[in-house]
Amino acid sequence: SGPAVKPIAVRMVYEVAHAVRIPVIGIGGIQSAEDAIEFLMAGATAVQVGSENLRRPYACKDIIEDLPKVMRIYGIERLADIVGAAWKEQNPDQT
C-alpha cells in the first residue's frame, strides 16, 4: 500500500461508495489531512492510516491535529458536508 496506490484507492472508493448503501472506509496512501479529505470527497465516511504509521509513528495524531487548519483553508465547516462531494459535482441531478 502507501502513496503508490493512492490514485487507484481513491478511484475505487469513488466507485464503491456510490454502488453500495453501506459505509465505505477509505484506505491506501493516506499521509496527510489533505489525503483524508480527498478520500472523504470521493465518498468514504471514514479513513484508515496504515503504512504511514510505520514511517511516522505519530501520523494519525498529526493528521487529526492538521484537519482543522486544512478545513479552514478549504472552507470546510464539517467533514460530513464533504462526504461524496466529488460524486455530487459530477452528477448534480443524481444526489
Side-chain angles (χ1 to χ4, degrees), residues 6 32-41 66-79 81-82 85 89:
K6 184 178 159 229
S32 66
E34 288 89 347
D35 291 338
I37 287 171
E38 186 175 356
F39 273 89
L40 293 171
M41 290 181 71
D66 287 346
L67 267 172
K69 176 183 73 172
V70 175
M71 289 170 66
R72 276 192 302 279
I73 290 169
Y74 292 107
I76 301 166
E77 291 185 29
R78 296 177 336 129
L79 289 175
D81 294 340
I82 66 165
E89 184 177 305

Short mmCIF file of all heavy atoms in Angstrom, two decimals, residues 6 32-41 66-79 81-82 85 89:
data_model
loop_
_atom_site.label_atom_id
_atom_site.label_comp_id
_atom_site.label_asym_id
_atom_site.label_seq_id
_atom_site.Cartn_x
_atom_site.Cartn_y
_atom_site.Cartn_z
N LYS A 6 -2.46 5.26 -3.90
CA LYS A 6 -3.49 6.25 -3.57
C LYS A 6 -4.41 6.60 -4.73
O LYS A 6 -5.63 6.60 -4.56
CB LYS A 6 -2.86 7.51 -2.99
CG LYS A 6 -3.91 8.51 -2.54
CD LYS A 6 -3.27 9.73 -1.92
CE LYS A 6 -4.27 10.86 -1.98
NZ LYS A 6 -3.74 12.07 -2.50
N SER A 32 -1.69 12.55 4.94
CA SER A 32 -1.93 13.92 5.41
C SER A 32 -3.42 14.17 5.56
O SER A 32 -4.26 13.39 5.09
CB SER A 32 -1.35 14.91 4.40
OG SER A 32 -2.07 14.84 3.18
N ALA A 33 -3.72 15.32 6.16
CA ALA A 33 -5.12 15.74 6.28
C ALA A 33 -5.73 15.94 4.90
O ALA A 33 -6.89 15.60 4.67
CB ALA A 33 -5.21 17.01 7.12
N GLU A 34 -4.95 16.46 3.97
CA GLU A 34 -5.44 16.66 2.61
C GLU A 34 -5.82 15.33 1.97
O GLU A 34 -6.84 15.24 1.27
CB GLU A 34 -4.39 17.36 1.75
CG GLU A 34 -4.20 18.83 2.09
CD GLU A 34 -3.15 19.07 3.16
OE1 GLU A 34 -2.71 18.11 3.85
OE2 GLU A 34 -2.78 20.25 3.35
N ASP A 35 -5.01 14.30 2.20
CA ASP A 35 -5.32 12.97 1.67
C ASP A 35 -6.63 12.45 2.25
O ASP A 35 -7.46 11.89 1.54
CB ASP A 35 -4.20 11.97 1.98
CG ASP A 35 -2.91 12.26 1.24
OD1 ASP A 35 -2.95 12.94 0.18
OD2 ASP A 35 -1.86 11.78 1.71
N ALA A 36 -6.80 12.63 3.56
CA ALA A 36 -8.03 12.17 4.21
C ALA A 36 -9.24 12.88 3.61
O ALA A 36 -10.26 12.25 3.31
CB ALA A 36 -7.95 12.41 5.71
N ILE A 37 -9.13 14.17 3.40
CA ILE A 37 -10.23 14.94 2.81
C ILE A 37 -10.53 14.45 1.40
O ILE A 37 -11.69 14.35 1.00
CB ILE A 37 -9.90 16.45 2.85
CG1 ILE A 37 -10.02 16.94 4.29
CG2 ILE A 37 -10.78 17.25 1.89
CD1 ILE A 37 -9.53 18.36 4.53
N GLU A 38 -9.50 14.13 0.64
CA GLU A 38 -9.71 13.62 -0.72
C GLU A 38 -10.53 12.33 -0.71
O GLU A 38 -11.44 12.16 -1.52
CB GLU A 38 -8.36 13.39 -1.40
CG GLU A 38 -8.46 13.01 -2.84
CD GLU A 38 -7.11 12.91 -3.53
OE1 GLU A 38 -6.08 13.21 -2.91
OE2 GLU A 38 -7.11 12.51 -4.71
N PHE A 39 -10.23 11.43 0.21
CA PHE A 39 -10.99 10.18 0.31
C PHE A 39 -12.43 10.45 0.74
O PHE A 39 -13.35 9.80 0.24
CB PHE A 39 -10.32 9.21 1.29
CG PHE A 39 -9.26 8.35 0.67
CD1 PHE A 39 -7.94 8.79 0.61
CD2 PHE A 39 -9.56 7.12 0.13
CE1 PHE A 39 -6.96 8.01 0.03
CE2 PHE A 39 -8.59 6.32 -0.46
CZ PHE A 39 -7.28 6.77 -0.51
N LEU A 40 -12.64 11.38 1.65
CA LEU A 40 -14.00 11.73 2.07
C LEU A 40 -14.78 12.30 0.89
O LEU A 40 -15.94 11.94 0.68
CB LEU A 40 -13.97 12.71 3.23
CG LEU A 40 -13.40 12.17 4.54
CD1 LEU A 40 -13.23 13.31 5.55
CD2 LEU A 40 -14.26 11.07 5.11
N MET A 41 -14.14 13.15 0.12
CA MET A 41 -14.82 13.73 -1.04
C MET A 41 -15.16 12.66 -2.08
O MET A 41 -16.15 12.78 -2.80
CB MET A 41 -13.96 14.82 -1.67
CG MET A 41 -13.86 16.06 -0.79
SD MET A 41 -12.86 17.36 -1.52
CE MET A 41 -13.97 17.88 -2.83
N ASP A 66 -3.94 18.40 12.18
CA ASP A 66 -3.89 19.26 10.99
C ASP A 66 -5.27 19.48 10.36
O ASP A 66 -5.45 20.45 9.61
CB ASP A 66 -2.96 18.67 9.93
CG ASP A 66 -1.50 18.80 10.29
OD1 ASP A 66 -1.17 19.58 11.22
OD2 ASP A 66 -0.67 18.13 9.64
N LEU A 67 -6.21 18.60 10.62
CA LEU A 67 -7.52 18.69 9.97
C LEU A 67 -8.20 20.06 10.13
O LEU A 67 -8.66 20.63 9.13
CB LEU A 67 -8.44 17.58 10.43
CG LEU A 67 -8.43 16.32 9.57
CD1 LEU A 67 -9.23 15.21 10.24
CD2 LEU A 67 -8.93 16.59 8.17
N PRO A 68 -8.29 20.62 11.33
CA PRO A 68 -8.98 21.92 11.46
C PRO A 68 -8.33 23.01 10.59
O PRO A 68 -9.03 23.80 9.96
CB PRO A 68 -8.87 22.25 12.95
CG PRO A 68 -8.72 20.92 13.61
CD PRO A 68 -7.92 20.09 12.65
N LYS A 69 -7.00 23.04 10.54
CA LYS A 69 -6.31 24.05 9.73
C LYS A 69 -6.61 23.85 8.24
O LYS A 69 -6.94 24.81 7.53
CB LYS A 69 -4.79 23.97 9.98
CG LYS A 69 -3.98 24.90 9.10
CD LYS A 69 -2.50 24.73 9.32
CE LYS A 69 -2.09 23.41 8.69
NZ LYS A 69 -0.69 23.14 8.62
N VAL A 70 -6.54 22.63 7.79
CA VAL A 70 -6.81 22.33 6.38
C VAL A 70 -8.27 22.60 6.05
O VAL A 70 -8.60 23.12 4.97
CB VAL A 70 -6.39 20.88 6.04
CG1 VAL A 70 -6.78 20.51 4.62
CG2 VAL A 70 -4.89 20.70 6.24
N MET A 71 -9.15 22.28 6.97
CA MET A 71 -10.57 22.56 6.75
C MET A 71 -10.81 24.05 6.59
O MET A 71 -11.57 24.48 5.72
CB MET A 71 -11.41 21.99 7.89
CG MET A 71 -11.49 20.47 7.90
SD MET A 71 -12.24 19.79 9.39
CE MET A 71 -13.91 20.39 9.23
N ARG A 72 -10.15 24.86 7.40
CA ARG A 72 -10.28 26.32 7.28
C ARG A 72 -9.77 26.79 5.91
O ARG A 72 -10.40 27.63 5.26
CB ARG A 72 -9.51 27.03 8.39
CG ARG A 72 -10.28 27.15 9.68
CD ARG A 72 -9.62 28.10 10.67
NE ARG A 72 -8.26 27.72 11.03
CZ ARG A 72 -7.94 26.81 11.94
NH1 ARG A 72 -8.89 26.17 12.60
NH2 ARG A 72 -6.69 26.54 12.21
N ILE A 73 -8.63 26.25 5.47
CA ILE A 73 -8.06 26.64 4.18
C ILE A 73 -9.05 26.40 3.05
O ILE A 73 -9.20 27.23 2.15
CB ILE A 73 -6.74 25.88 3.92
CG1 ILE A 73 -5.66 26.38 4.86
CG2 ILE A 73 -6.31 26.00 2.46
CD1 ILE A 73 -4.39 25.53 4.87
N TYR A 74 -9.75 25.27 3.10
CA TYR A 74 -10.68 24.89 2.04
C TYR A 74 -12.13 25.31 2.31
O TYR A 74 -13.02 24.99 1.53
CB TYR A 74 -10.60 23.39 1.77
CG TYR A 74 -9.28 23.00 1.15
CD1 TYR A 74 -8.33 22.33 1.90
CD2 TYR A 74 -8.99 23.32 -0.16
CE1 TYR A 74 -7.11 21.98 1.34
CE2 TYR A 74 -7.77 22.99 -0.73
CZ TYR A 74 -6.83 22.32 0.03
OH TYR A 74 -5.61 21.97 -0.53
N GLY A 75 -12.36 26.00 3.41
CA GLY A 75 -13.70 26.46 3.72
C GLY A 75 -14.67 25.35 4.10
O GLY A 75 -15.87 25.44 3.83
N ILE A 76 -14.16 24.32 4.73
CA ILE A 76 -14.98 23.18 5.15
C ILE A 76 -15.40 23.39 6.59
O ILE A 76 -14.54 23.50 7.47
CB ILE A 76 -14.20 21.86 5.00
CG1 ILE A 76 -13.77 21.65 3.55
CG2 ILE A 76 -15.03 20.68 5.51
CD1 ILE A 76 -12.72 20.55 3.37
N GLU A 77 -16.69 23.45 6.84
CA GLU A 77 -17.18 23.63 8.21
C GLU A 77 -17.28 22.30 8.95
O GLU A 77 -16.93 22.21 10.12
CB GLU A 77 -18.52 24.34 8.21
CG GLU A 77 -18.41 25.79 7.78
CD GLU A 77 -19.73 26.52 7.90
OE1 GLU A 77 -20.55 26.14 8.76
OE2 GLU A 77 -19.92 27.47 7.12
N ARG A 78 -17.82 21.28 8.25
CA ARG A 78 -17.98 19.96 8.86
C ARG A 78 -17.52 18.92 7.86
O ARG A 78 -17.87 18.99 6.67
CB ARG A 78 -19.45 19.69 9.22
CG ARG A 78 -20.03 20.59 10.25
CD ARG A 78 -21.52 20.32 10.52
NE ARG A 78 -22.22 19.69 9.42
CZ ARG A 78 -22.98 18.58 9.53
NH1 ARG A 78 -23.13 17.99 10.69
NH2 ARG A 78 -23.60 18.09 8.48
N LEU A 79 -16.78 17.92 8.31
CA LEU A 79 -16.32 16.86 7.40
C LEU A 79 -17.49 16.13 6.77
O LEU A 79 -17.43 15.74 5.60
CB LEU A 79 -15.40 15.89 8.14
CG LEU A 79 -14.03 16.44 8.50
CD1 LEU A 79 -13.25 15.42 9.33
CD2 LEU A 79 -13.24 16.85 7.28
N ASP A 81 -20.07 17.25 5.63
CA ASP A 81 -20.57 18.01 4.48
C ASP A 81 -19.85 17.68 3.18
O ASP A 81 -20.37 17.96 2.10
CB ASP A 81 -20.47 19.51 4.74
CG ASP A 81 -21.37 19.98 5.87
OD1 ASP A 81 -22.33 19.27 6.21
OD2 ASP A 81 -21.09 21.07 6.42
N ILE A 82 -18.64 17.14 3.26
CA ILE A 82 -17.88 16.89 2.03
C ILE A 82 -17.90 15.44 1.59
O ILE A 82 -17.39 15.11 0.52
CB ILE A 82 -16.42 17.37 2.16
CG1 ILE A 82 -15.66 16.55 3.21
CG2 ILE A 82 -16.36 18.87 2.44
CD1 ILE A 82 -14.17 16.71 3.14
N ALA A 85 -18.63 14.60 -2.08
CA ALA A 85 -18.70 15.86 -2.83
C ALA A 85 -18.24 15.69 -4.28
O ALA A 85 -18.79 16.34 -5.17
CB ALA A 85 -17.87 16.94 -2.14
N GLU A 89 -20.59 16.68 -7.51
CA GLU A 89 -20.14 17.63 -8.51
C GLU A 89 -20.26 17.06 -9.92
O GLU A 89 -20.65 17.74 -10.85
CB GLU A 89 -18.68 18.02 -8.24
CG GLU A 89 -18.16 19.08 -9.18
CD GLU A 89 -16.75 19.50 -8.84
OE1 GLU A 89 -16.53 19.90 -7.68
OE2 GLU A 89 -15.89 19.41 -9.72
#
